[in-house]
Amino acid sequence: MRVEPLPGVPAATVDTDGERLLAVADYHAGIEAGLRYEGVELQSAAEDRRERLLACLDRARADRLVVIGDLGHAIGDPFDDEQAELETLFDALDVPVTLVKGNHDGGLEPVLSDLDADVEVTPGHGTRIGSVGFAHGHTWPEPDVLEADVVCVGHEHPVVRLEDNVGGAQKERAWLRGSLVTEPFSEQFDQAVESAPDVVVFPAFNDRSGGTWVNVDGQELLAPFLPEGMADTEAFLLDGTRLGAYRQV
């Protein structure tokens, strides 16, 4: 497969266009500052996030990092803590970065442009790198992205609720994978969308960013094209465990 999750972590290798990419979604740098603004006090986990990402890059032997949206956390101008976290992160990176703009990245471009970093920011409707498409998922991917063999999206932060025989429950981050249903996209763009790539919904890299319970009744997905835009959708745990159809987990 062109998109291969790294076992045990919310990141995947992507082989395309002669490069090996490491792709992650929803990094949410500076999230603790945002939570503090809402009255929740947490010690910063910026160093842990950075070290986990660097370990993933090393493990994947990646040529490029692709962040599928929400590199930062603030919706508007980044908090000071967020800017400091991003500066330290980019100082530590030794590969170029592609940021597929997410709904939390609106104020990041001036900050990133001030950094001495090799970073490209693409529009929120997504981009293609070779035969793989990337879009954050808060808006409809453009038709060109849908011409890819695989489309990678974030935004959902999918999690599953797992219960044991005695009524205990736990939350686990999960991957979703299925095939694209063309009809909703054809209606949205008022033109035929004939390709039907695989769609991979990434778990959030940041373990403090919450999530959508994809197997709990009454929970709605966030992307405007989901769940109608995916079929045969299965869930997988970070360790690779295949859970089957996500609604039946």
Side-chain angles (χ1 to χ4, degrees), residues 2 30 55-56 58 81 97 99 104 107 110 131 143 150 165 200 221 229 239:
R2 295 186 184 276
C56 289
D58 183 63
D81 288 355
V97 177
L99 169 60
H104 282 256
S131 59
V150 185
N165 293 330
V200 180
L221 300 184
D239 66 5

Side-chain angles (χ1 to χ4, degrees), residues 201-241:
V201 182
F202 277 56
F205 191 85
N206 192 313
D207 56 6
R208 289 179 164 176
S209 58
T212 302
W213 297 88
V214 298
N215 66 330
V216 175
D217 290 340
Q219 295 284 301
E220 295 185 358
L221 300 184
L222 302 175
F225 50 88
L226 295 178
E228 294 80 7
M230 281 180 77
D232 306 317
T233 307
E234 294 190 316
F236 300 79
L237 296 181
L238 297 190
D239 66 5
T241 301

Side-chain angles (χ1 to χ4, degrees), residues 127-248:
T127 190
R128 277 175 56 187
I129 301 177
S131 59
V132 179
F134 300 92
H136 180 57
H138 64 300
T139 189
W140 292 80
E142 68 171 0
D144 180 65
V145 174
L146 305 179
E147 295 295 323
D149 294 336
V150 185
V151 177
C152 302
V153 300
H155 188 54
E156 294 294 343
H157 307 193
V159 295
V160 293
R161 176 184 172 90
L162 301 179
E163 297 183 357
D164 59 28
N165 293 330
V166 294
Q170 64 183 34
K171 179 180 76 172
E172 295 285 349
R173 283 177 287 179
W175 300 86
L176 298 181
R177 189 168 194 136
S179 55
L180 184 130
V181 178
T182 59
E183 286 80 3
F185 296 90
S186 296
E187 292 176 5
Q188 172 68 20
F189 298 119
D190 196 26
Q191 68 181 67
V193 174
E194 297 178 354
S195 61
D198 287 345
V199 180
V200 180
V201 182
F202 277 56
F205 191 85
N206 192 313
D207 56 6
R208 289 179 164 176
S209 58
T212 302
W213 297 88
V214 298
N215 66 330
V216 175
D217 290 340
Q219 295 284 301
E220 295 185 358
L221 300 184
L222 302 175
F225 50 88
L226 295 178
E228 294 80 7
M230 281 180 77
D232 306 317
T233 307
E234 294 190 316
F236 300 79
L237 296 181
L238 297 190
D239 66 5
T241 301
R242 184 177 186 174
L243 299 176
Y246 75 101
R247 290 294 194 194
Q248 299 173 15

Side-chain angles (χ1 to χ4, degrees), residues 3-193:
V3 179
E4 188 68 41
L6 282 175
V9 293
T13 59
V14 181
D15 292 304
T16 184
D17 203 29
E19 282 189 311
R20 166 155 285 200
L21 318 176
L22 180 79
V24 301
D26 300 287
Y27 189 87
H28 286 276
I31 190 172
E32 293 83 8
L35 292 174
R36 193 179 309 123
Y37 182 80
E38 297 172 5
V40 179
E41 290 288 340
L42 289 175
Q43 185 175 356
S44 174
E47 182 178 356
D48 174 69
R49 280 190 291 273
R50 182 177 68 253
E51 292 305 314
R52 285 192 292 117
L53 182 60
L54 294 175
C56 289
L57 283 164
D58 183 63
R59 182 174 162 192
R61 299 182 180 179
D63 304 307
R64 174 179 296 273
L65 171 65
V66 178
V67 181
I68 314 171
D70 289 0
L71 171 62
H73 182 70
I75 297 290
D77 293 335
F79 298 103
D80 290 344
D81 288 355
E82 181 177 329
Q83 293 190 46
E85 179 174 348
L86 291 171
E87 290 171 4
T88 304
L89 172 64
F90 277 90
D91 282 345
L93 291 172
D94 60 1
V95 295
V97 177
T98 296
L99 169 60
V100 183
K101 203 169 186 179
N103 54 305
H104 282 256
D105 297 322
L108 276 195
E109 285 182 85
V111 174
L112 297 178
S113 66
D114 289 340
L115 300 178
D116 183 19
D118 186 355
V119 56
E120 171 194 16
V121 180
T122 78
H125 54 61
T127 190
R128 277 175 56 187
I129 301 177
S131 59
V132 179
F134 300 92
H136 180 57
H138 64 300
T139 189
W140 292 80
E142 68 171 0
D144 180 65
V145 174
L146 305 179
E147 295 295 323
D149 294 336
V150 185
V151 177
C152 302
V153 300
H155 188 54
E156 294 294 343
H157 307 193
V159 295
V160 293
R161 176 184 172 90
L162 301 179
E163 297 183 357
D164 59 28
N165 293 330
V166 294
Q170 64 183 34
K171 179 180 76 172
E172 295 285 349
R173 283 177 287 179
W175 300 86
L176 298 181
R177 189 168 194 136
S179 55
L180 184 130
V181 178
T182 59
E183 286 80 3
F185 296 90
S186 296
E187 292 176 5
Q188 172 68 20
F189 298 119
D190 196 26
Q191 68 181 67
V193 174

